[in-house]
């Protein structure tokens, strides 16, 4: 009996690696610590009613951001481990198997569990405030999306300590990801973790499209809408068409693994290349999904801190929508070397080059916005300015990669690694940081310490170039991606050392940010104006920070592009806004169902990972019960009465 | 949510009869390919064509009888989305066929 148990445990838990043992111990300790703290301060009820069951878009946004920063930490540690292994030739720090797992989890976590949720966090907090809405269109679904993402991410991350991590690359190409080559449970964690969170992403896409189309303040025509909201709309358009492709592709892979189907197997008429073709139909739009909102953020930040209207509003809108549609016509540039023939390659090379044009338009728009502006070098603005050269270089190396014949040389080399990190870090991460710093006071009512922020900024930027510029050269010298050892005589060592140093500089930068947040929480100055930077142009800056539950006591008629800016000028000239009478506000009630139902999905996913139907089936039944219960709930909303609004507003506004 | 009372709640004009017709049609359209495949009634290519044709009809039935694509008021966002979806769908199918023709290993 005891022996059986021991044997089971030794297979169930990942054992034998000191790094992982350390992680297991620290995870266990952290969990115990959290439980103790919550119990000691009697915070369980608070956690449940204020956070876990909330449907308030602002709180959901904050939870997204916290989760994504934790994931940034995990993905970053993965990156540093890999860079450490690569610093010297023939190092034995990570074995091949372990290295494979780490680049796989790093890639998946950074894109799906760091970039996406950070993006959704900003969507959630800002979009309703920016368009004058009191919540998103479907608050319950919104909470569902968050918890599906959360439990999906937890399932994926669990593989690290239980059962073993996936190791077939971040896109899990078959045949490597098929049962024949990856018989373990790691690949199942991959499928279920991504599937569960993927449903959440799709729902978020729908939610924000409806919110933006249906819930704008009176007078706000689409062409008067702030640019960030436009970028969200374009990103969500891509989401609702791209994510179903991912779901179906992974589902087919699941059928192969679980029921012995032959969609992508080597035998039985399957074709692994079909998977590669399908997954990139999601994969390419995905990169635009994450970068478009960053473009939106830059547009807001650049205009605000240049104290000027955004240059070329209409062309910007056009460029974003064009990108979100054109993104669906370039996918084959990810596998020029697969041998689809010259015509296919030529076609996709040209579409790829064409999509660079609207991106170029935007860069000029930002430059012209800054031109002759009164620029203030605050941290959000610095991130925006640093983004431009970084993204331009990254974009140009992308155009180099799109030259199909040349790609036979670059493909799967460190040249590619350098290229996509340059656009992902220089575009996406810098963009979200700009947004995070810019809107932080809107979320929490105080600014982050600028001094520490500048340290973090410089470490990130210098670290970035030191890390990734040498990789372009390494790629040209023939170093391929996904290798964990190389020989002395390749001559790659000097550049690899430099690159690793750069990676650690970025690690230090992250520590500065943690310090910055901790410091600012302790020593901040409370913002009483609501327009913390003093340069706000759009609706979100017209209400107190943090915004009350209902966001807007009365919804303004926002019929100008930079409504709040114009309104401030009017008020300066002594024109007071027309008072709109208060009315009771209709709000959604909290619900525990999203949390519970996602937990049931997690349970079902866990069961499927280990092929334990006795866990999977109860999990699915739980999901069904949650749906049923929700269908019969009618009491899902309430009204906030006028005197309560008056009291809240007086407390928030009276403070200044 | 909060803005819902501003007119988002209109009934979606389906009558009992139209739902019933839609329901029956969708069942029939599901059964036809099933029967064709289970009884080996046609050649491989003919079977494929039947399945595809039934799928397209099924799609139309869903749109007209359950999703009320005809009744939408302006601006017709649903229609626009649908057109974009069809474009992307055709790209997926035609693009995959084109890309994979050179890649058919053992046929
Ligand atoms: C913070 C600095 C970062 C460093 C030092 C870093 C480093 C690395 C390294 C060493 C690899 C493996 C290369 C190989 O052996 O093939 C890698 C792969 C990858 N990284 Fe990063 N990375 C960073 C940030 C990011 C970010 C922010 C993202 C996405 C938003 C990202 C996405 C990826 C992806 C998708 C892969 C490919 C994984 C695969 O081969 O399957 N990385 N990164
Ligand atoms: Cu691409």
């Amino acid at each position: 009996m005891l022996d059986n148990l021991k044997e089971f445990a030794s297979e169930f838990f990942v054992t034998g690696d000191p790094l992982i043992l350390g992680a297991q111990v620290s995870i266990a300790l952290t969990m115990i610590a959290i439980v103790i703290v919550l119990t000691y301060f009697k915070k369980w009820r608070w956690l449940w009613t204020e956070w876990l069951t909330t449907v308030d878009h602002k709180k959901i946004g904050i939870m997204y951001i916290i989760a994504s920063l934790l994931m940034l930490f995990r993905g970053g540690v993965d990156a540093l481990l890999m860079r450490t292994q690569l610093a010297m030739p023939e190092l034995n720090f990570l074995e091949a198997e372990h290295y494979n797992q780490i680049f796989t989890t790093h890639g998946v976590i950074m894109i799906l569990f760091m970039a996406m949720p950070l993006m959704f966090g900003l969507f959630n907090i800002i979009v309703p405030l920016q368009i004058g809405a009191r919540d998103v269109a479907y608050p319950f679904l919104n909470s569902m999306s968050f918890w599906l993402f959360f439990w999906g991410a937890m399932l994926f991350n669990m593989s690290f300590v239980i059962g073993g991590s996936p190791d077939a690359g971040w896109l899990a190409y078959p045949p490597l990801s098929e049962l024949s080559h990856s018989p373990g449970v790691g690949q199942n964690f991959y499928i279920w973790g991504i599937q569960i969170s993927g449903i959440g992403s799709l729902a978020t896409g729908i939610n924000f499209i409806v919110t933006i189309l249906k819930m704008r303040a009176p007078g706000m025509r689409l062409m008067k809408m702030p640019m960030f909201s436009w970028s969200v709309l374009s990103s969500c358009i891509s989401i609702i068409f791209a994510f179903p492709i991912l779901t179906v592709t992974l589902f087919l892979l699941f059928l192969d693994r679980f029921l012995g189907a032959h969609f992508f197997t080597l035998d039985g008429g399957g074709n692994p290349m079909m998977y590669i073709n399908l997954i990139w139909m999601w994969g390419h739009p995905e990169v635009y999904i994450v970068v478009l909102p960053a473009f939106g953020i830059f547009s807001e930040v650049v205009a605000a801190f240049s104290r000027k209207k955004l240059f070329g509003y209409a062309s910007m809108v056009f460029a974003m929508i064009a990108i979100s549609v054109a993104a669906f016509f370039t996918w084959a540039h990810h596998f020029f070397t697969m041998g689809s023939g010259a015509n296919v390659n030529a076609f996709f090379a040209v579409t790829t080059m064409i999509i660079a044009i609207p991106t170029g338009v935007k860069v000029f728009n930002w430059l012209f916005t800054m031109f002759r502006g009164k620029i203030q070098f605050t941290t959000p603005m610095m991130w925006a300015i640093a983004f431009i050269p970084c993204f331009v270089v990254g974009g140009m190396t992308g155009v180099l990669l799109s030259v199909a014949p040349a790609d036979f040389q670059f493909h799967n080399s460190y040249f590619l690694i350098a290229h996509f990190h340059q656009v992902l870090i220089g575009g996406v991460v810098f963009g979200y940081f700009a947004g995070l710093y810019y809107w932080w006071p809107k979320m929490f009512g105080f600014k982050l310490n600028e001094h520490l922020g500048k340290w973090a900024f410089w470490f990130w930027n210098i670290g970035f170039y030191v890390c990734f510029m040498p990789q372009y050269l390494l790629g040209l010298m023939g170093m391929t991606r996904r290798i964990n050892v190389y020989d002395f005589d390749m001559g790659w060592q000097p550049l690899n050392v430099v690159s690793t140093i750069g990676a650690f500089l970025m690690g230090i930068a992250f520590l500065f940010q943690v310090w910055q947040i901790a410091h600012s929480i302790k020593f901040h100055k409370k913002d009483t104006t609501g327009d913390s930077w003093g340069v706000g142009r759009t609706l979100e800056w017209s209400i107190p920070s943090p915004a009350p539950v209902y966001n807007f006591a009365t919804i303004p008629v926002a019929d100008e592009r930079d409504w709040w800016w114009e309104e401030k000028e009017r008020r300066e000239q002594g024109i007071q806004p027309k008072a709109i009478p208060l009315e009771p506000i209709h709000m959604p009630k909290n619900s525990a169902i999203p949390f519970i139902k996602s937990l049931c999905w997690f349970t079902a996913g866990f069961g499927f990972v280990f092929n334990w139907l006795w866990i999977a089936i109860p999990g699915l039944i739980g999901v069904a019960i949650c749906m049923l219960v929700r269908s019969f709930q009618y009491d899902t909303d309430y009204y906030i009465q006028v005197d309560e609004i008056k009291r809240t507003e007086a407390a928030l506004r009276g403070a200044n | 949510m909060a803005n819902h009372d501003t007119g988002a709640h209109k009934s979606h004009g389906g009558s009992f009869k139209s739902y019933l017709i839609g329901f029956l049609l969708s069942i029939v359209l599901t059964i036809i390919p099933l029967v064709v495949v289970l009884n080996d009634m046609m050649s491989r290519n003919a079977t494929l064509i039947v399945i595809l044709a039934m799928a397209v009809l099924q799609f139309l039935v869903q749109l007209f009888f359950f999703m009320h694509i005809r009744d939408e008021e302006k601006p017709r966002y649903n229609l626009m989305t649908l057109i974009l979806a069809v474009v992307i769908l055709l790209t997926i199918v035609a693009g995959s066929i084109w890309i994979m023709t050179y890649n058919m290993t053992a046929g």
Side-chain angles (χ1 to χ4, degrees):
Chain A
M1 179 65 200
L2 199 66
D3 281 345
N4 277 345
L5 212 64
K6 250 192 197 156
E7 200 185 303
F8 168 77
S10 74
E11 273 175 24
F12 186 67
F13 294 105
V14 179
T15 48
D17 189 302
L19 278 175
I20 294 186
L21 188 68
Q24 281 163 334
V25 172
S26 54
I27 290 174
L29 288 180
T30 317
M31 289 205 297
I32 295 172
I34 291 175
V35 170
I36 292 178
V37 169
L38 283 173
T39 314
Y40 183 78
F41 290 104
K42 301 204 171 63
K43 288 287 186 191
W44 284 103
R45 170 161 291 278
W46 166 82
L47 184 69
W48 180 256
T49 53
E50 294 286 311
W51 295 94
L52 302 191
T53 61
T54 185
V55 293
D56 181 343
H57 67 100
K58 300 176 285 297
K59 286 185 176 165
I60 292 177
I62 290 173
M63 292 194 288
Y64 265 122
I65 289 174
I66 294 173
S68 69
L69 292 181
L70 290 175
M71 289 290 107
L72 177 62
F73 174 73
R74 152 109 210 243
V77 171
D78 281 348
L80 293 184
L81 291 175
M82 287 189 287
R83 279 315 321 168
T84 308
Q85 165 66 20
L86 292 174
M88 296 282 165
E90 286 166 18
L91 259 186
N92 263 330
F93 176 61
L94 301 175
E95 276 141 44
E97 193 192 354
H98 198 177
Y99 189 87
N100 295 348
Q101 296 179 342
I102 291 188
F103 69 65
T104 303
T105 52
H106 164 80
V108 173
I109 286 176
M110 283 298 199
I111 296 211
L112 287 161
F113 302 138
M114 186 284 284
M116 292 291 282
L118 190 47
M119 168 178 104
F120 288 152
L122 292 170
F123 283 16
N124 262 290
I125 294 170
I126 301 309
V127 171
L129 301 184
Q130 209 170 42
I131 63 172
R134 289 195 167 121
D135 205 319
V136 294
Y138 310 115
F140 175 86
L141 185 68
N142 195 27
S143 153
M144 206 55 234
S145 293
F146 172 75
W147 289 110
L148 283 171
F149 144 71
F150 180 85
W151 287 112
M154 286 303 116
L155 187 61
F156 184 86
N157 275 279
M158 235 168 105
S159 65
F160 174 51
V161 286
I162 291 175
S165 298
D167 56 2
W170 82 282
L171 283 183
Y173 283 4
L176 194 54
S177 55
E178 290 281 4
L179 217 45
S180 55
H181 295 67
S182 299
V185 295
Q187 216 48 55
N188 300 344
F189 274 116
Y190 174 94
I191 292 175
W192 281 95
I194 295 181
Q195 287 294 51
I196 291 173
S197 69
I199 308 170
S201 306
L202 178 60
T204 306
I206 297 171
N207 216 336
F208 279 87
I209 289 183
V210 180
T211 307
I212 291 174
L213 290 183
K214 295 279 187 191
M215 296 179 60
R216 297 189 309 279
M220 187 186 276
R221 316 262 310 272
L222 273 176
M223 287 308 273
K224 304 280 179 208
M225 190 164 74
M227 194 49 68
F228 178 66
S229 296
W230 263 112
S231 72
V232 174
L233 181 63
S234 59
S235 167
C236 288
I237 291 176
S238 291
I239 288 179
I240 62 168
F241 293 117
F243 268 78
I245 309 180
L246 174 70
T247 306
V248 170
T249 309
L250 289 183
F251 187 68
L252 296 179
L253 183 63
F254 166 72
L255 289 183
D256 276 7
R257 292 180 59 90
F258 189 71
L259 295 179
H262 291 281
F263 290 103
F264 311 123
T265 53
L266 286 174
D267 57 346
N271 190 341
M273 292 188 219
M274 189 62 188
Y275 178 95
I276 298 173
N277 173 53
L278 288 175
I279 197 104
W280 278 112
M281 283 187 201
W282 160 77
H284 187 79
E286 166 68 10
V287 303
Y288 282 102
I289 288 169
V290 289
V291 87
L292 280 169
F295 291 165
I297 292 169
F298 294 127
S299 304
E300 300 286 345
V301 169
V302 166
F305 292 107
S306 307
R307 295 166 171 269
K308 275 178 67 188
K309 264 202 169 67
L310 183 66
F311 182 89
Y313 177 94
S315 65
M316 206 71 137
V317 169
F318 178 77
M320 282 189 187
I321 298 293
I323 290 177
S324 73
V325 176
F328 283 89
F329 300 90
T330 66
W331 76 94
H333 64 212
H334 293 276
F335 45 88
F336 280 144
T337 55
M338 197 165 84
S340 302
N343 291 338
V344 170
N345 280 4
F347 176 83
F348 285 98
V350 172
T351 54
T352 307
M353 293 172 199
I354 289 176
I355 213 173
I357 297 171
T359 318
V361 168
K362 302 159 91 66
V363 171
F364 282 107
N365 283 341
W366 293 315
L367 291 178
F368 282 124
T369 307
M370 284 191 269
F371 183 63
R372 298 214 166 135
K374 291 195 204 77
I375 299 183
Q376 265 172 296
F377 290 93
T378 56
T379 39
M381 187 62 174
M382 287 168 75
W383 286 105
I385 293 177
F387 147 84
I388 293 178
C390 197
F391 197 79
V392 166
V393 175
M396 287 197 300
T397 57
V399 175
L400 291 181
L401 286 162
S402 79
V403 180
D407 185 59
F408 278 70
Q409 189 62 35
F410 304 137
H411 186 64
N412 274 359
S413 73
Y414 261 83
F415 191 90
L416 169 77
I417 298 279
H419 154 71
F420 74 67
H421 281 92
Q422 184 149 20
V423 282
L424 282 170
I425 297 182
V428 177
V429 177
F430 284 13
Y432 296 174
F433 281 167
L436 203 56
Y437 284 108
Y438 181 52
W439 282 308
W440 186 278
K442 191 47 41 196
M443 301 174 203
F444 298 106
F446 61 89
K447 274 192 222 166
L448 286 174
N449 181 299
E450 287 277 294
H451 184 69
L452 288 169
K454 288 186 180 163
W455 278 93
F457 170 85
W458 285 110
F459 267 98
W460 262 110
N461 270 272
I462 295 171
F464 171 79
Y465 289 100
V466 173
C467 181
F468 289 103
M469 292 305 116
Q471 293 186 8
Y472 282 115
L473 296 177
L474 283 168
L476 296 177
M477 288 160 76
M479 182 163 168
T480 49
R481 71 192 282 201
R482 296 175 176 168
I483 52 168
N484 71 319
V485 279
Y486 53 90
D487 277 344
F488 276 101
D489 51 11
M490 301 305 274
W492 297 340
Q493 180 190 7
L495 288 174
N496 268 310
V497 175
V498 175
S499 178
T500 302
I501 292 173
F504 277 91
L505 292 180
M506 283 185 273
I508 296 173
F510 183 76
L511 294 183
F512 266 109
Q513 289 177 307
V514 175
W515 181 17
Q516 181 189 16
I517 293 177
H519 182 90
S520 312
I521 289 177
K522 203 143 184 252
F523 301 108
H524 65 257
K525 214 174 95 231
K526 195 107 190 79
D527 166 55
T528 49
T529 60
D531 188 358
S532 333
W533 301 96
V535 294
R537 311 182 72 81
T538 40
L539 251 69
E540 76 270 29
W541 300 109
S542 69
I543 51 176
S545 321
V549 252
Y550 48 77
N551 299 348
F552 295 86
T554 57
I555 295 181
V557 180
D559 51 4
E560 292 143 316
R561 235 167 236 169
D562 288 324
W563 176 78
W564 176 238
W565 185 265
E566 311 280 347
E567 179 71 20
K568 280 191 285 191
E569 300 217 314
R570 273 194 294 272
R571 288 188 193 176
E572 236 159 60
Q573 293 163 9
I575 309 174
Q576 284 303 318
K578 254 208 323 258
I580 311 173
L582 289 176
E583 279 171 33
I585 296 175
H586 185 202
M587 294 298 290
K589 270 190 185 161
N590 284 359
S591 169
I593 290 181
F595 182 84
I596 297 172
K597 186 169 152 195
S598 310
L599 190 57
C600 292
W601 268 116
F602 172 87
T603 315
F606 186 79
F608 278 116
V609 166
F610 285 93
N611 221 330
W612 292 338
L613 290 182
W614 55 274
I615 292 189
I617 290 171
L620 290 178
I621 293 176
V623 172
I625 292 176
C626 287
M627 286 187 187
L628 268 179
V629 171
R630 178 68 184 175
S631 320
F632 290 102
Q633 275 179 353
Y634 298 105
D635 178 24
T636 54
D637 47 0
Y638 69 103
Y639 280 88
I640 302 181
Q641 298 306 333
V642 172
D643 43 332
E644 193 184 335
I645 304 172
K646 275 192 189 141
R647 253 178 286 133
T648 318
E649 288 292 306
L652 286 171
R653 306 231 179 215
N656 55 5
Chain B
M1 181 76 213
N3 290 2
H4 265 185
D5 19 25
T6 54
H9 281 303
K10 289 222 181 71
S11 78
H12 301 287
S15 67
F16 178 73
K17 202 172 125 207
S18 78
Y19 280 120
L20 195 69
I21 298 176
F23 183 61
L24 291 177
L25 277 178
S26 63
I27 289 188
V28 171
L29 290 172
T30 313
I31 290 177
I32 294 175
L34 210 63
V35 170
V36 171
V37 172
L38 289 181
N39 298 328
D40 274 331
M41 280 163 68
M42 297 180 192
S43 72
R44 190 182 146 87
N45 281 342
T47 314
L48 279 178
I49 290 170
V50 169
I51 295 178
L52 283 177
M54 293 306 127
V56 171
L57 288 177
Q58 179 76 256
F59 178 59
L60 294 177
V61 167
Q62 301 282 329
L63 280 178
F64 284 103
F65 289 95
F66 301 124
M67 299 185 185
H68 306 288
I69 196 74
R70 271 173 305 187
D71 314 342
E72 195 193 359
E73 284 157 27
K74 279 184 183 172
R76 308 194 66 161
Y77 291 126
N78 286 339
L79 190 69
M80 290 190 244
T81 318
L82 191 71
I83 293 172
L84 185 54
V86 170
V87 170
I88 290 176
L89 199 72
L90 289 177
T91 310
I92 294 174
V93 175
S96 300
I97 293 174
W98 189 35
I99 289 172
M100 299 303 290
T101 39
Y102 295 90
N103 274 325
M104 293 321 272
T105 40

